[in-house]
Amino acid sequence: MNRRRVSELLQAGVAIGPKNLATNSSNPFIQPISEFDNSDTADEGPLPVSTVKAEWMRKRLEESEQEFVMGEDLIIFSGTWNVDGTEVPENFSEWFEFGSRQTPDIVFIGLQEVDRSTQAYIYESSLKEKYWSDAILAKINTTYPGFNFVKVASKLYVGIYAAVFIRDRLIPVVSHVSTSIAACGLMGLVGNKGAVGIRFRVYAEYICFISSHLAAHVPQVERRNQDAAEIGRRLIFNAAQTDYWEELNMLETLIRSFRANPGPASIWESSHLIWAGDLNYRIPLDSSTVRHLSRLGLYDELLQHDQLNLVRCDESSVWAQFEEAPINFAPTFKYDRGTVEFDSSEKERIPAWCDRILFQRDDQLECLDYSAVMQIKSSDHRPVRALFRAKFNRIIPELFTKTYERQLKALDKLENELIPVTLLQCNEIVLETPLVFRRAQTRSVEILNVGQVICQFRFISTGPPGSPICQPWIRIKPIHDILSPGESRQIKLYFLADVTATQKLNQAGGNKIEDILVIHVEGGRDHFVHVTGTFRPTLFCRPLEEICEETVSTHQKTGEMVRTRRVPKPVWIMVDFIIRNGIKTVSANTGCDFC
Amino acid sequence: MSGADDELAVIQDSLDADEGVLPENLKTEIGILSVGEMLLRFLDCLPQPLIPSGLYEACLEASSDASLASKLISLLPPPSLTLFEYLIAFLGRHYLPRNPGVHPFDVASVFAPCVLKPPASRSADRPRSDIYKAANFLLLFLLNRSH
């Protein structure tokens, strides 16, 4: 699937991401433990090495991370809004208009009470999900034209909605997308409380967004704390499918596999965690005081009594790990719809900052802006938004390759220590004196086992199987042996031109002799011994035709051509010698030239 | 017959160097024997035996028939024939007459295995009877000093 096609599909609103988006198939009246499904395990994409080696490589790469990563800042828009079952308002785009702020790279939207009907408690409403997703995407793209935002994932579960959108330039670097839900309280009895999460990978790091709705009413603070704790424990993301949106080459696959952790994962297993929602924490003061101080803009006074701020001071609470930017906006609950007036019904709800965006303490995440959008009045809650700058490590392919190759070399070295390693004391033998018929020369070479395991070596031929391991003028002893670690062997090489070898050498002509001996180490590498030398030619071992000269002369008397054949020179020299010296009676006959 | 190894080396060196004449210091009893051994070696390491191995069986059969033996020898290719006749002349007309204590059969027994060999396909071990016949074949020529 090429990139252009993918972009087209995304623009058309075709959802991308994992094929097995978590679905709620369990009975809503019975508390689901989680959507964690045991049967799927992540396909990390193949590493071209065995599991053990892969593990070793993985750890080394993680340790050397600094060598090949570079931080890249991304702007994240997060929003949360309890829509109270209403429709998309006319001025919806104002939520996204940050004025002169930078264009976000990632947009996260959490909605609560998307669907108030009783059916929402039992069935998922995919229509509502699409309705809101389409509206949000459209508004984002009109607010930030030219950046071609696409939806990464969305999820609606009993009124709690979450969705993530990214600008097109991030498409190639976003992967491992998964969603999850966690329900709190018994469905239909306590209310539609819980959380929806979206987790995905950007470059080499994971980010997790949560849209949640916690228990309502002032006294229910403990309930809310418990809800939050439950979400922290039970919001588990399925193993994400690693169907990438593009074809990946080997290097890209390796890079994507780095710190992959595609799941199953909890919310805590991400580099960045943003938790937004209608958290329902209240100000336990009387309504008129709160309204009064709110209207005056004296938020800090009130926030000192905010239940969430107080709970965050409790070490044991899940919120203790979270931070929040300073609140400089009026409480976002509860308003008369369509107005800027606090709840004027007989219930006279105490204004509260129910709608919050928190983030796990993280020195690579900074909140740039935190505000409420008072102009959007369609619901009894006001939308809240936060703008973040988050650093994501991205892998530089060239540097990754360098480190990867370096580690691979180290792995090779390690592997080498487990295979037979031998050292041959010399690879060149030069016979300084010529090889003479029937006159042996000897050399020896030492082979040493420098590895950790027993090794076996043998001389092998360079030709087809069964052919000799060396030239006929070489004899080797031993031609095979076994060495324990640390043991060595002196291999004797005898160089001897015997009758057969000399016949062959004479036939071959010239006087250069050469051979390459190959020592094969079982499971290890081969050694080579290059032998060079010269052979002293001799008239011995030659065919008579070669060494008997023929002379032609004219017969003194007849004038005929007479062919004279001599006997081989060595023969008449020797015979001559014997005749002259070995025979007691000295004869004048020199014994040469037989006609 | 046997010569000291050093002397054999000296002879080899001299012959290979084409010096034309063997060194003087070989003119000892042992030296002569060494030369003799080298002569045997020369004949022994010819790629084809002096008497072609194709004639081996026939020669053994002719070991008591002088005229048949002569006919067989006349079949030798020229270089072999020349050398054969040369050796016979040397042994028959020079060596044996000057060394009356040496029995011709002994000389024949020493030279026969070098000049008359079975084809390579035959088993390496020659039966004693064959060696005996081969010696007798050669003896025919040594006793008949003129061709």
Side-chain angles (χ1 to χ4, degrees):
Chain A
M1 205 192 254
N2 66 36
R3 243 187 101 167
R4 218 152 67 90
R5 174 80 183 123
V6 167
S7 289
E8 282 164 13
L9 287 173
L10 295 176
Q11 300 268 357
V14 173
I16 44 175
K19 289 190 181 136
N20 61 342
L21 278 182
T23 57
N24 174 39
S25 55
S26 53
N27 183 333
F29 295 103
I30 295 168
Q31 183 123 336
I33 304 296
S34 78
E35 280 202 8
F36 173 34
D37 174 44
N38 273 313
S39 59
D40 268 335
T41 49
D43 171 25
E44 295 239 5
L47 285 179
V49 290
S50 72
T51 317
V52 171
K53 294 185 209 179
E55 260 307 295
W56 190 89
M57 282 297 290
R58 188 184 63 77
K59 284 179 80 173
R60 298 289 88 73
L61 286 170
E62 285 177 10
E63 285 165 13
S64 342
E65 193 175 20
Q66 290 314 307
E67 291 173 18
F68 51 84
V69 298
M70 203 171 76
E72 175 139 334
D73 283 340
L74 296 179
I75 303 297
I76 303 171
F77 175 105
S78 309
T80 182
W81 188 25
N82 181 326
V83 303
D84 193 26
T86 59
E87 308 261 292
V88 176
E90 289 262 342
N91 59 349
F92 192 38
S93 47
E94 293 193 42
W95 196 7
F96 309 101
E97 284 156 10
F98 256 114
S100 59
R101 293 283 175 187
Q102 303 138 294
T103 309
D105 298 294
I106 302 171
V107 173
F108 162 61
I109 298 295
L111 302 174
Q112 299 82 40
E113 296 197 35
V114 166
D115 198 327
R116 299 206 67 183
S117 72
T118 46
Q119 286 173 330
Y121 299 158
I122 302 165
Y123 304 111
E124 268 190 75
S125 171
S126 56
L127 289 174
K128 279 282 184 181
E129 185 186 325
K130 182 163 163 36
Y131 169 78
W132 280 101
S133 298
D134 290 350
I136 293 165
L137 185 59
K139 289 301 175 193
I140 294 171
N141 276 323
T142 48
T143 311
Y144 307 107
F147 296 97
N148 303 312
F149 279 85
V150 296
K151 188 177 79 170
V152 169
S154 65
K155 183 96 184 135
L156 174 62
Y157 181 64
V158 291
I160 306 171
Y161 169 91
V164 171
F165 307 84
I166 56 171
R167 57 186 291 191
D168 62 356
R169 80 174 177 94
L170 285 188
I171 292 173
V173 301
V174 169
S175 63
H176 294 84
V177 183
S178 56
T179 65
S180 185
I181 64 141
C184 308
L186 209 53
M187 293 291 107
L189 294 181
V190 179
N192 51 338
K193 304 300 182 287
V196 173
I198 301 179
R199 177 177 184 263
F200 57 97
R201 184 169 149 119
V202 182
Y203 294 121
E205 298 194 89
Y206 283 87
I207 184 162
C208 178
F209 294 107
I210 301 173
S211 164
S212 64
H213 193 181
L214 305 185
H217 309 306
V218 178
Q220 299 288 337
V221 60
E222 263 317 301
R223 176 86 240 179
R224 288 189 273 281
N225 294 341
Q226 279 176 33
D227 285 351
E230 261 188 272
I231 291 164
R233 274 198 312 275
R234 295 200 342 246
L235 190 61
I236 303 286
F237 296 88
N238 265 355
Q241 288 275 8
T242 54
D243 296 322
Y244 297 113
W245 303 343
E246 296 172 61
E247 287 283 314
L248 295 180
N249 65 24
M250 179 68 81
L251 177 62
E252 285 167 343
T253 306
L254 284 171
I255 288 175
R256 304 265 186 168
S257 307
F258 179 74
R259 288 201 191 278
N261 192 15
S266 71
I267 64 172
W268 311 108
E269 294 167 63
S270 300
S271 302
H272 307 299
L273 173 59
I274 293 171
W275 190 333
D278 178 0
L279 306 183
N280 259 319
Y281 286 97
R282 310 301 174 102
I283 315 284
L285 300 175
D286 67 277
S287 186
S288 55
T289 312
V290 177
R291 290 178 188 221
H292 181 61
L293 290 172
S294 300
R295 290 197 191 98
L296 292 175
L298 299 170
Y299 308 129
D300 289 345
E301 287 261 355
L302 294 168
L303 285 166
Q304 281 175 33
H305 302 273
D306 174 71
Q307 288 172 333
L308 180 53
N309 284 346
L310 293 170
V311 158
R312 276 176 53 214
C313 300
D314 179 1
E315 284 293 315
S316 64
S317 159
V318 74
W319 297 117
Q321 311 177 49
F322 284 80
E323 302 214 343
E324 189 183 20
I327 293 176
N328 294 311
F329 49 90
T332 55
F333 176 82
K334 180 178 162 115
Y335 291 85
D336 288 343
R337 285 193 195 179
T339 76
V340 292
E341 298 305 323
F342 286 121
D343 179 27
S344 57
S345 74
E346 67 278 6
K347 288 182 185 165
E348 212 190 316
R349 294 272 186 245
I350 307 162
W353 282 281
C354 292
D355 310 285
R356 314 288 270 272
I357 302 177
L358 285 88
F359 52 98
Q360 190 182 15
R361 194 164 298 115
D362 176 357
D363 53 9
Q364 306 297 324
L365 185 70
E366 185 195 349
C367 186
L368 305 173
D369 192 279
Y370 191 30
S371 55
V373 187
M374 294 303 169
Q375 315 91 283
I376 297 177
K377 303 174 242 188
S378 50
S379 166
D380 57 353
H381 290 253
R382 295 288 117 105
V384 172
R385 63 191 178 186
L387 199 65
F388 294 97
R389 179 187 294 123
K391 197 182 283 291
F392 288 85
N393 275 339
R394 67 183 294 183
I395 292 173
I396 315 298
E398 306 80 52
L399 299 179
F400 179 84
T401 306
K402 268 210 185 91
T403 302
Y404 186 80
E405 282 169 2
R406 183 168 61 79
Q407 295 297 355
L408 209 57
K409 271 205 183 95
L411 178 62
D412 269 346
K413 186 173 177 295
L414 200 70
E415 277 200 299
N416 281 342
E417 287 165 16
L418 300 174
I419 64 165
V421 187
T422 47
L423 208 61
L424 196 66
Q425 160 239 349
C426 91
N427 295 100
E428 284 287 335
I429 292 178
V430 177
L431 300 173
E432 279 100 15
T433 52
L435 199 61
V436 175
F437 172 54
R438 294 190 69 148
R439 202 168 302 170
Q441 297 188 38
T442 56
R443 294 284 191 282
S444 69
V445 284
E446 189 182 17
I447 183 166
L448 171 66
N449 182 351
V450 295
Q452 315 290 327
V453 294
I454 288 179
C455 80
Q456 207 194 116
F457 72 84
R458 60 192 172 87
F459 282 80
I460 59 169
S461 80
T462 50
S467 54
I469 57 171
C470 60
Q471 293 286 332
W473 40 272
I474 306 178
R475 292 279 183 277
I476 304 169
K477 193 175 160 84
I479 59 169
H480 66 83
D481 208 344
I482 293 175
L483 299 172
S484 304
E487 208 186 335
S488 69
R489 187 77 67 244
Q490 289 288 346
I491 301 172
K492 284 270 193 313
L493 301 169
Y494 300 96
F495 303 97
L496 175 66
D498 62 4
V499 173
T500 321
T502 305
Q503 283 171 0
K504 291 208 173 100
L505 285 167
N506 280 334
Q507 238 179 342
N511 65 341
K512 283 222 180 337
I513 53 172
E514 192 179 7
D515 200 4
I516 295 177
L517 309 172
V518 183
I519 305 175
H520 175 67
V521 178
E522 223 55 58
R525 47 177 284 261
D526 291 347
H527 294 284
F528 299 92
V529 182
H530 184 219
V531 178
T532 49
T534 54
F535 168 71
R536 192 176 77 189
T538 177
L539 293 176
F540 282 61
C541 310
R542 287 185 190 261
L544 284 176
E545 305 84 59
E546 257 180 55
I547 54 176
C548 294
E549 295 162 35
E550 188 183 82
T551 55
V552 182
S553 57
T554 318
H555 196 274
Q556 283 176 331
K557 289 182 183 162
T558 64
E560 283 169 28
M561 301 291 276
V562 177
R563 285 176 189 276
T564 309
R565 273 197 169 269
R566 298 179 65 132
V567 297
K569 193 166 176 184
V571 174
W572 64 253
I573 290 175
M574 288 190 279
V575 166
D576 195 55
F577 184 89
I578 294 170
I579 289 171
R580 281 191 284 110
N581 301 300
I583 296 170
K584 292 178 170 70
T585 314
V586 174
S587 154
N589 192 342
T590 57
C592 59
D593 283 34
F594 187 89
C595 302
Chain B
M1 267 190 182
S2 69
D5 282 345
D6 310 343
E7 291 186 330
L8 298 176
V10 164
I11 297 162
Q12 183 82 60
D13 289 344
S14 171
L15 293 172
D16 287 345
D18 200 16
E19 283 168 1
V21 66
L22 291 176
E24 289 294 301
N25 59 3
L26 287 166
K27 292 178 185 173
T28 63
E29 239 183 275
I30 301 210
I32 310 288
L33 289 173
S34 301
V35 175
E37 181 164 344
M38 286 304 276
L39 179 60
L40 283 170
R41 273 198 194 175
F42 182 90
L43 295 167
D44 194 44
C45 70
L46 289 171
Q48 261 280 24
L50 184 56
I51 298 173
S53 46
L55 292 174
Y56 178 75
E57 291 290 347
C59 290
L60 292 190
E61 301 235 348
S63 59
S64 50
D65 185 342
S67 76
L68 183 56
S70 291
K71 283 205 183 80
L72 288 171
I73 288 300
S74 69
L75 298 174
L76 256 52
S80 306
L81 182 58
T82 306
L83 184 52
F84 181 83
E85 288 170 342
Y86 179 83
L87 282 174
I88 296 297
F90 159 62
L91 293 171
R93 286 199 256 153
H94 293 281
Y95 187 75
L96 281 171
R98 270 98 176 152
N99 291 278
V102 178
H103 198 287
F105 184 79
D106 293 340
V107 172
S109 321
V110 163
F111 275 85
C114 298
V115 305
L116 185 57
K117 297 182 190 178
S121 54
R122 286 266 306 259
S123 70
D125 279 333
R126 294 186 245 177
R128 287 189 76 102
S129 53
D130 283 2
I131 298 169
Y132 189 75
K133 281 182 190 168
N136 274 320
F137 178 86
L138 213 58
L139 190 61
L140 292 171
F141 296 90
L142 291 176
L143 296 175
N144 180 15
R145 289 165 204 167
S146 62
H147 295 279

